Amino acid sequence: MTIIRVEPFILHVPVTGSSISDSTHTLSHWGVVGCRIHTDDGRIGTGFTGTHAHLAGDRLVTDCIATCYADLLVGEDEADITRLWQKLARHPPVQWIGRAGITHIALGAVDIALWDLKAQRAGQPLWKLLGGATSDRVTAYNTDIGWLSIPDDELIAGSRRVVEEEGFRGVKIKVGSADIARDLKRLEAVRRAIGPHVTMAIDANGRWDLPTCLRFCRGAEGLDILWFEEPLWYDDVAGHVRLAAQGGIPVALGEQLYTAEAFADFIARGALHYVQPDVTRLAGITEYIRVAEAAHAARLPVVAHAGDMSQVHVHLAFWHPATTMLEYIPWIRTCFAEPVTVTDGDAIRPEQPGAGTAVKPEAFARFAKSLS
Ligand code: MG
């Protein structure tokens, strides 16, 4: 079928509580920013990226979709995803201004919408279209109880609650404070609260330098930390190589890498142990597949970063054999016809046709922002 219209959108959806902070970011809403692609037989595919709900920045993404990509898509066959990805990503004047950043995440939203159309057309959930599920169970871990802005007593109570009452077998706790001792004290308290058998990952959001990370790692011995996420500045390959070799805690990263080539460099140089691609930061499902396959070839586990709050990643998790866990943050799930759901610590496999991105009309009515 033929693409007849590309319709950008911006949604700003509240986070849990009034706001959250990690070591680097503070936000009150999550941006669901993307487009709906309409075909000549009335079908609609939806794709989006995830943002910090900064309206001016979000409009750069929708402007890119509307003014750089829409004309390249209208009149094309929706099914030609690989060719259309190349056409948009390598369109010379757009490639000239950005092979990463705004142009790239805008392309990601387009690509996800095209895969959503393809899966709808096949009458299958995305994981089925891609080749079927390799697992009947995907373990979820909870990030939403671990923000740096959460007071110590609430952090401990929240960790205990999701483990004891909701069945989570994994949590992620934010670190990256100016005071390492404060972070270590919080981690020790969480470990005591959740017991020895629940996995605990940590995330510094790129805040620390190498000496700080090495000092922190010495202090964290005995806490059985599953991975140390974004310990250093995002592009510092050499620093991550040294930390991965010397720190004693497995290194995880990927949410700030835009391209398959960037991941290839980190993987080839031994700079990480857990690979964390984000389908909304990469240029969509097409590029995510390249990263997941590269990780798998290097025998590294894939644990996606949930810029989509796992609406799409849950499909990729059930499909791709390198996936070991799924990140869970519930902020935007009420927007979707088939929201990602965790029961007894496991993600539920989605069964509706499509990529899990269909936004309910009431979510548009409630959360949509003006495009100009
Ligand atoms: Mg992170």
Side-chain angles (χ1 to χ4, degrees):
M1 293 295 159
T2 301
I3 296 169
I4 59 166
R5 189 158 67 93
V6 179
E7 177 195 7
F9 64 81
I10 298 171
L11 307 180
H12 286 179
V13 186
V15 304
T16 305
S18 56
S19 74
I20 61 91
S21 298
D22 58 33
S23 68
T24 306
H25 315 99
T26 295
L27 49 141
S28 61
H29 292 72
W30 193 246
V32 179
V33 179
C35 63
R36 301 202 293 176
I37 295 180
H38 299 253
T39 63
D40 59 352
D41 66 340
R43 204 174 279 279
I44 299 171
T46 306
F48 64 90
T49 189
T51 76
H52 291 185
H54 177 259
L55 190 55
D58 293 348
R59 285 172 175 161
L60 293 176
V61 176
T62 51
D63 282 353
C64 179
I65 293 170
T67 60
C68 295
Y69 293 148
D71 286 350
L72 300 175
L73 292 164
V74 170
E76 289 281 9
D77 183 341
E78 74 187 50
D80 291 345
I81 296 177
T82 308
R83 185 178 62 78
L84 291 175
W85 194 97
Q86 286 293 127
K87 180 181 179 182
L88 272 55
R90 301 293 171 253
H91 186 55
V94 178
Q95 178 180 296
W96 185 262
I97 60 168
R99 297 187 303 281
I102 295 159
T103 57
H104 210 70
I105 62 178
L107 175 57
V110 168
D111 180 84
I112 293 167
L114 292 173
W115 278 101
D116 182 40
L117 276 171
K118 198 178 198 68
Q120 287 182 45
R121 194 76 70 187
Q124 295 175 338
L126 179 67
W127 59 264
K128 186 80 170 174
L129 174 76
L130 290 170
T134 57
S135 173
D136 59 5
R137 199 173 98 171
V138 173
T139 302
Y141 73 89
N142 191 308
T143 298
D144 203 32
I145 50 83
W147 304 108
L148 207 53
S149 52
I150 295 176
D152 294 3
D153 56 342
E154 290 178 33
L155 174 76
I156 296 161
S159 302
R160 188 178 281 126
R161 175 175 52 77
V162 295
V163 169
E164 293 180 358
E165 298 176 21
E166 299 178 26
F168 279 93
R169 299 184 299 282
V171 296
K172 186 162 79 188
I173 310 298
K174 296 289 183 174
V175 297
S177 301
D179 178 7
I180 288 180
R182 182 222 176 201
D183 287 349
L184 288 169
K185 187 163 137 287
R186 282 160 63 90
L187 294 177
E188 286 161 6
V190 171
R191 175 52 81 198
R192 276 196 300 275
I194 63 178
H197 303 302
V198 175
T199 62
M200 179 170 70
I202 60 167
D203 185 355
N205 290 92
R207 192 67 175 176
W208 284 335
D209 58 18
L210 184 60
T212 307
C213 287
L214 290 170
R215 193 154 66 88
F216 172 85
C217 287
R218 282 197 301 276
E221 281 177 14
L223 290 175
D224 192 18
I225 291 168
L226 184 64
W227 70 67
F228 189 176
E229 181 171 322
E230 291 200 320
L232 299 165
W233 179 250
Y234 319 116
D235 302 314
D236 179 7
V237 184
H240 284 95
V241 169
R242 293 169 71 181
L243 185 63
Q246 299 170 22
I249 301 174
V251 169
L253 60 89
E255 68 184 81
Q256 300 262 353
L257 301 185
Y258 289 101
T259 65
E261 289 81 0
F263 276 96
D265 195 22
F266 274 87
I267 291 170
R269 292 173 64 181
L272 78 176
H273 301 94
Y274 287 86
V275 183
Q276 298 185 301
D278 186 330
V279 73
T280 71
R281 186 65 71 114
L282 293 160
I285 293 160
T286 300
E287 194 163 40
Y288 180 100
I289 292 169
R290 294 173 193 157
V291 174
E293 290 292 271
H296 196 37
R299 314 313 299 176
L300 293 174
V302 171
V303 189
H305 170 260
D308 64 333
M309 301 294 123
S310 293
Q311 282 298 129
V312 179
H313 285 134
V314 67
H315 289 262
L316 297 165
F318 275 99
W319 164 64
H320 200 275
T323 307
T324 58
M325 293 178 95
L326 184 75
E327 182 167 27
Y328 181 75
I329 306 173
W331 297 338
I332 64 171
R333 60 188 304 282
T334 57
C335 295
F336 296 95
E338 190 179 28
V340 64
T341 299
V342 172
T343 301
D344 294 332
D346 291 327
I348 302 299
R349 197 175 69 188
E351 299 297 344
Q352 292 182 16
T357 51
V359 176
K360 293 190 290 191
E362 51 266 42
F364 279 110
R366 193 163 166 210
F367 300 125
K369 295 290 178 184
S370 166
L371 298 180
S372 60

